[in-house]
Every structure is written in C-alpha cells, then in structure tokens.
Amino acid sequence: MGTNYKPGNAFWMAEKTKMADQQDKSRVELETYSKEALIEMILQLKKEKAVALSEIKDSERKNNNAEILESRREPKTLQREEKQMRGSHVCKDRKMRQQKQFDFSRYNKRHIALKLSYLGWVFHGFASQENVENTVEAHLFEALKKCCLIEDRASCNYSRCGRTDKGVSAFGQVISLDVRSNLLDGVGVIQQNSEKVKERVGKFDSLSLMQKKKKKKKKKI
C-alpha cells in the first residue's frame, strides 16, 4: 500500500466510495435473484469453502510430516558424520604411525649445482623472506625436503649465484647444495663415515648380490 493511501486523504476516500458502490451494485443484483437461486449460491459457496479448508489441512499435514521426517533424519546424519570424522582421524593417525622418519645417516651426500628457470610473475622474488612464504626459494626447499634430498637448509651447504625481485623471471639461475646420494664415490660425493651407510651399501652392493646368487646355485647343486 502506497504512502499516499492513508485514512482521511483523497485517495482513501476515493477507494472507500468505490468499494461502497460495488457493494450497492452486488446488493441490487442479489435482490433480483429468486429464493432458490440464492440458496443454490449459498450451498455452492459452502462447498468451495469446505474444499479450500480441506486443502489447507492437507498442506499443513504434509508440512508437519516433512518436519517430523527431517527431525528424525538429523540425528542419524549427525551420527554418520561423526563416524566419518572419527574414521578419518583414525586413518590419519595410522598413516602418521606408519610414516617413519627418514634416516639421512644411511646415505652419502653429493655437492651439485642446479640450473633453474622460472616465471616470477606470481612470486615475491627469488630469495626467502621472513614474513613472506611465496618465494621461489621457499617452494624449492619445500620440494627438496619432500623428496628427502635434504634434511634442512642449514645443513645442506646451500649457496646461490644471485637473486631476483618481485615479479622478475629468470632462465639461468644457478644454485649449489649438498643432496642425498646413493653413490659410493665419484665427483662431488661426500662420504659419510657411518656404520649405517656401510650396512645399507652391503645390502645392495652388486658384488654382495653376486656372491649370494653363487651360494644359492652351489646349494642347489
């Protein structure tokens, strides 16, 4: 209803007179009907009213049934979600238990140089920064740790030839560092004087494997 439609103003008075005229017309029209016709109209209106009331009751009943079903389903869904959450936590705990800490003392190291190319549009420069994680160097060390090539930055003898600013790309950036190696000797290999290295090498050494095969053949003969 508009703001101009208020009791007492012109709009309100016009609407009121219009409704009064319509009532007068309908009254005059009804007076022309016979008694039987009026009875039929009243009975028809009662039937329509009864149908409308029954439809309203049916819709209310359906809504109540739907609410009851939802209220019954909610505890079940909550229980199911709780079970799923517990199951996921249990799986994570099992995986954490199964994952053993990588033993770097069982391997030699090798000093290598890596040539890098990168598009620096989305990075905040090459070198790592204290308050910024999105640098090329940060992502590089994250990958090296994930592959178990280095234990940490402090112990890998890392150095770089230069650096780039935010948004700057490079196609010949060179870094050097010590990485885990399966090699026993050679250029750049840093041998670890560890019993674990000797034990691991003894298990997978080609000569020892050949000797084991020969012993098995002798036993068969």
Side-chain angles (χ1 to χ4, degrees):
M1 191 177 290
T3 55
N4 293 328
Y5 190 80
K6 295 179 180 178
N9 64 9
F11 290 99
W12 183 79
M13 293 298 293
E15 287 293 326
K16 189 174 181 181
T17 54
K18 188 177 178 181
M19 290 175 66
D21 291 339
Q22 288 177 353
Q23 289 177 359
D24 292 337
K25 287 180 181 179
S26 61
R27 184 180 183 83
V28 171
E29 187 179 355
L30 289 171
E31 287 177 352
T32 59
Y33 291 167
S34 64
K35 185 178 179 181
E36 294 179 355
L38 290 172
I39 291 169
E40 288 292 331
M41 287 180 66
I42 293 168
L43 293 174
Q44 185 64 29
L45 289 171
K46 283 185 176 181
K47 286 181 181 179
E48 292 176 359
K49 183 180 178 182
V51 171
L53 289 172
S54 64
E55 289 177 354
I56 292 168
K57 287 181 181 179
D58 290 337
S59 63
E60 289 178 352
R61 195 182 298 111
K62 288 179 181 178
N63 291 331
N64 291 332
N65 291 334
E67 290 177 358
I68 292 167
L69 288 172
E70 287 181 1
S71 63
R72 289 177 180 174
R73 285 175 186 171
E74 283 180 359
K76 291 182 179 179
T77 52
L78 288 171
Q79 289 175 2
R80 195 180 299 112
E81 288 176 358
E82 287 178 359
K83 286 181 181 179
Q84 290 175 355
M85 290 291 290
R86 288 174 186 171
S88 62
H89 287 306
V90 170
C91 291
K92 286 180 181 178
D93 292 339
R94 287 176 181 173
K95 286 180 181 179
M96 290 295 290
R97 290 174 187 172
Q98 289 174 358
Q99 288 177 355
K100 294 181 180 179
Q101 190 174 2
F102 192 86
D103 190 0
F104 284 90
S105 63
R106 298 178 68 245
Y107 295 86
N108 290 331
K109 291 183 179 181
R110 188 182 186 190
H111 193 72
I112 63 170
L114 296 176
K115 188 176 182 180
L116 309 176
S117 298
Y118 55 87
L119 299 173
W121 305 328
V122 296
F123 298 107
H124 290 77
F126 178 80
S128 297
Q129 302 175 37
E130 291 183 3
N131 299 323
V132 179
E133 295 181 357
N134 189 26
T135 62
V136 177
E137 209 170 57
H139 289 288
L140 176 63
F141 275 101
E142 185 180 355
L144 291 169
K145 288 179 182 178
K146 190 177 287 186
C147 297
C148 295
L149 287 174
I150 63 170
E151 192 169 2
D152 51 40
R153 178 170 177 167
S155 63
C156 70
N157 193 21
Y158 173 75
S159 63
R160 58 174 180 262
C161 70
R163 55 188 294 172
T164 53
D165 294 331
K166 180 181 178 181
V168 180
S169 303
F171 296 94
Q173 178 72 279
V174 179
I175 63 169
S176 64
L177 72 167
D178 297 340
V179 297
R180 173 180 60 84
S181 177
N182 286 325
L183 296 176
L184 301 178
D185 52 19
V187 179
V189 174
I190 304 168
Q191 294 181 347
Q192 303 264 34
N193 294 322
S194 172
E195 293 296 330
K196 291 182 179 181
V197 175
K198 294 177 183 178
E199 182 183 354
R200 185 187 64 81
V201 171
K203 288 180 180 179
F204 300 101
D205 186 21
S206 59
L207 292 174
S208 62
L209 290 172
M210 290 292 291
Q211 290 175 357
K212 287 179 180 179
K213 287 181 180 179
K214 287 180 181 179
K215 287 180 180 179
K216 286 181 179 179
K217 286 181 179 179
K218 287 180 180 179
K219 287 181 180 179
K220 288 180 180 180
I221 295 169

